[in-house]
Amino acid sequence: MSETTRRRGGGRAGRRAARAASTESAPYLVRRTPPVDIVDDEGLEQIERNAETILSEVGIAFQDFPEALELWRAAGADIDGELVKCPPGLCRQIVQDNAPAAYTQHARNPARNVMVGGDATVFAPNYGSPFVMDLDRGRRYATLEDFCNVVKLAYALPQLHHSGGTVCEPVDVPVNKRHLDMVYAHLRYSDKPFMGSVTAAERAADSVEMARIAFGGDLADRTVMTSLINVSSPMRWDAPMLGAATTYARANQACIMSPFILAGAMSPVTVAGLAAQALAEALSGMAYLQLVRPGAPVVFGTFASSMSMATGAPTFGTPEAGQAIHVMASLARRVGVPFRSGGQFTSSKLPDAQAAYESAHTLLPTMQAGVNFVLHAAGWQEGGLALGYEKLILDADQLGAMEIWARGVDVSENGQAMEAFRTNAHGDHFLGNPHTLANFETAFWRSDISDAASYEQWSEEGSLSAGQRANARWKQLLADYEPPPIDDAVDAELRDYVARRKAEMPDEIG
């Protein structure tokens, strides 16, 4: 490679690095554009009536959790074994009378507090994958090292507002102890907001206690965790999730009450049928937590996608899944609570063209629908079975573009650019116009990963694909990583708590 080429490539790479280093990390997006409704009021009202029929005639099971049944009985529901049937309107009324329309999730660094609800959108990374994948080592089981790496990357990427939860599953740690390491990693290697453990009530209690330590010894009713509680669709809440949700609600910690639906398997195949079921499931969960603690923050969640009717395999990035995001977001606004959905989903095993277009088909409806909390916003690969290191970087890059999308069109005096017309010679280009010169650095969103160079320059610089550029980027981010500050005494107390809790129980392999 010639000295000229090295100078040119280094300059472009240097400018890219400087832009990345100077990027201000907004704590969350504020959407200036109104959300898009794709179903009219009459259609939404019909879906709501169908959901009330499900709640009152079909019922929702609250399995192996007598406390929930007693609370429902006292609230006026009909209890048949573990099946709860609510009179029409009961769940909605309980939620609307008690649940906040928006809430602040406090971060260890107050500058990173996020608002969940209203016109805010919060991006959180991938969740729950047992495998990780990168271009060097391929697909493999995730380890605690991978978990910590992803937390560090999420901390370093300004496009991600939230540290997430189980960003990948560290299978090298016993199943009953790994939540301690995961919560510690979020608290030590990031100061962004995070999610707690939900696989058992006692693990949720550990999360609350560790948060208490990290936040100075007393949460003082501050909401410092937003955690994911999944319905066992169709129409069942199981005891582990109910136990965790109950623990969090009592501590005033937020819960995303989220149906997990692959249409055709866990719901009817139609978008309207899926929406009615998801609304019934989410309402029942959110209402239950208001019975536990009135005013506890809740999020109306959905994870909805389709499946292949030929093979039974989950499919992602389909138009029906995008429609479901829009419909459920509209229904959540009518309930009056924050909404979780969307992300960047793909069935692809690699960070390739399929991954890009399927992810885009999920991300754009997510933004247009006005989703408040976006889980799986970056890193999702292989239908959620794997977190992709390169995909995490590529997805984060696209989240940066969504910040511009969320701002809407600038119609300020500068945005109208009338002075440019008045000062430009007729027929001349605008490249040298004072308005262009004043705005050229910020005029357009610029990707840190995409390559817009000439073929010759791209070839001289190694003919790298987007995935290869992302590979270099995550490695550089980890090499440059510096942990956020934490009080030594607090860190010592956290580590002591983890060690003590681990010593109190034998390893469980599962």
Side-chain angles (χ1 to χ4, degrees):
M1 182 181 291
S2 69
E3 180 61 31
T4 302
T5 301
R6 282 198 298 270
R7 224 175 16 246
R8 184 172 60 221
R12 193 159 65 93
R15 289 192 297 274
R16 178 179 292 167
R19 285 200 309 273
S22 65
T23 301
E24 292 186 10
S25 178
Y28 54 88
L29 297 190
V30 177
R31 300 186 311 277
R32 304 299 185 193
T33 53
V36 176
D37 295 305
I38 64 171
V39 176
D40 61 20
D41 286 343
E42 183 179 356
L44 294 171
E45 289 167 3
Q46 183 60 61
I47 292 172
E48 290 170 339
R49 286 192 293 270
N50 293 343
E52 294 295 346
T53 299
I54 293 170
L55 286 166
S56 61
E57 297 181 14
V58 179
I60 308 291
F62 283 71
Q63 297 179 296
D64 302 318
F65 212 75
E67 177 184 343
L69 301 178
E70 290 307 311
L71 287 172
W72 275 120
R73 183 176 286 109
D78 179 31
I79 309 300
D80 180 10
E82 294 184 327
L83 201 60
V84 175
K85 296 183 179 180
C86 294
L90 176 63
C91 288
R92 180 178 290 267
Q93 195 64 54
I94 291 171
V95 173
Q96 292 180 331
D97 285 350
N98 295 284
Y103 66 91
T104 297
Q105 183 182 347
H106 296 265
R108 196 162 64 77
N109 176 358
R112 299 189 186 277
N113 292 352
V114 298
M115 186 175 83
V116 181
D119 58 2
T121 291
V122 175
F123 290 137
N126 183 76
Y127 188 104
S129 301
F131 299 98
V132 293
M133 181 270 177
D134 65 67
L135 295 182
D136 301 302
R137 291 178 287 174
R139 181 185 188 263
R140 61 194 185 279
Y141 278 108
T143 64
L144 183 58
E145 180 183 6
D146 289 308
F147 186 95
C148 294
N149 282 345
V150 177
V151 170
K152 292 173 183 178
L153 289 170
Y155 171 68
L157 290 164
Q159 302 93 336
L160 287 168
H161 312 119
H162 204 279
S163 191
T166 307
V167 293
C168 60
E169 194 74 41
V171 299
D172 57 335
V173 181
V175 68
N176 60 323
K177 300 180 179 181
R178 63 183 63 155
H179 68 286
L180 297 162
D181 291 313
M182 290 191 287
V183 172
Y184 176 77
H186 283 298
L187 291 169
R188 181 62 190 92
Y189 302 126
S190 177
D191 60 7
K192 294 181 179 181
F194 74 105
M195 306 173 78
S197 177
V198 297
T199 49
E202 60 270 21
R203 296 170 195 171
D206 282 333
S207 302
V208 172
E209 180 61 15
M210 292 178 71
R212 181 196 64 75
I213 294 169
F215 279 78
D218 185 3
L219 292 179
D221 272 350
R222 288 174 295 174
T223 298
V224 302
M225 285 178 284
T226 297
S227 301
L228 177 64
I229 308 295
N230 279 128
V231 185
S232 297
S233 299
M235 294 171 290
R236 290 174 176 268
W237 292 98
D238 64 35
M241 287 287 169
L242 288 171
T246 301
T247 300
Y248 283 128
R250 285 178 178 149
N252 203 43
Q253 301 307 303
C255 291
I256 304 170
M257 306 305 281
S258 192
F260 182 102
I261 296 177
L262 294 177
M266 290 116 83
S267 82
V269 297
T270 62
V271 172
L274 179 156
Q277 177 184 318
L279 176 58
E281 292 174 338
L283 278 174
S284 69
M286 293 188 294
Y288 165 68
L289 291 189
Q290 300 313 305
L291 299 179
V292 172
R293 175 172 174 155
V298 291
V299 178
F300 183 148
T302 63
F303 179 99
S305 197
S306 54
M307 61 182 294
S308 168
M309 293 287 97
T311 67
T315 52
F316 298 96
T318 60
E320 294 85 0
Q323 290 173 340
I325 293 172
H326 276 281
V327 174
M328 300 309 300
S330 298
L331 293 169
R333 284 191 290 274
R334 290 165 67 92
V335 175
V337 292
F339 179 60
R340 168 260 164 159
S341 193
Q344 296 197 68
F345 300 136
T346 182
S347 299
S348 181
K349 319 312 179 279
L350 293 169
D352 57 9
Q354 179 185 342
Y357 64 69
E358 288 181 345
S359 294
H361 289 170
T362 309
L363 184 58
L364 288 175
T366 297
M367 295 303 298
Q368 292 173 328
V371 177
N372 300 117
F373 192 94
V374 185
L375 196 53
H376 311 300
W380 171 288
Q381 200 167 290
E382 196 192 337
L385 287 175
L387 175 138
Y389 275 72
E390 289 80 21
K391 180 109 178 349
L392 181 74
I393 300 301
L394 294 165
D395 287 347
D397 190 56
Q398 292 306 296
L399 297 180
M402 293 304 102
E403 181 179 355
I404 309 304
W405 181 284
R407 289 179 192 168
V409 175
D410 177 12
V411 291
S412 67
E413 182 176 350
N414 181 68
Q416 294 172 52
M418 293 307 298
E419 190 62 23
F421 291 106
R422 294 188 180 101
T423 58
N424 215 63
H426 197 281
D428 281 1
H429 63 67
F430 285 86
L431 289 175
N433 188 277
H435 182 271
T436 302
L437 297 175
N439 287 275
F440 80 96
E441 283 282 3
T442 58
F444 307 114
W445 172 75
R446 285 180 286 179
S447 168
D448 289 326
I449 296 298
S450 298
D451 187 290
S454 68
Y455 178 86
E456 290 76 16
Q457 184 174 345
W458 170 77
S459 180
E460 289 174 351
E461 293 179 357
S463 306
L464 299 179
S465 68
Q468 290 170 321
R469 292 191 294 273
N471 178 272
R473 177 77 171 132
W474 70 255
K475 291 175 181 175
Q476 190 62 55
L477 286 172
L478 288 180
D480 295 342
Y481 169 80
E482 294 183 4
I486 189 170
D487 184 89
D488 288 343
V490 169
D491 187 40
E493 188 176 357
L494 283 169
R495 288 187 283 108
D496 178 70
Y497 183 87
V498 170
R500 181 160 40 85
R501 287 289 291 126
K502 285 185 174 183
E504 291 171 354
M505 48 187 159
D507 292 353
E508 290 181 11
I509 307 299

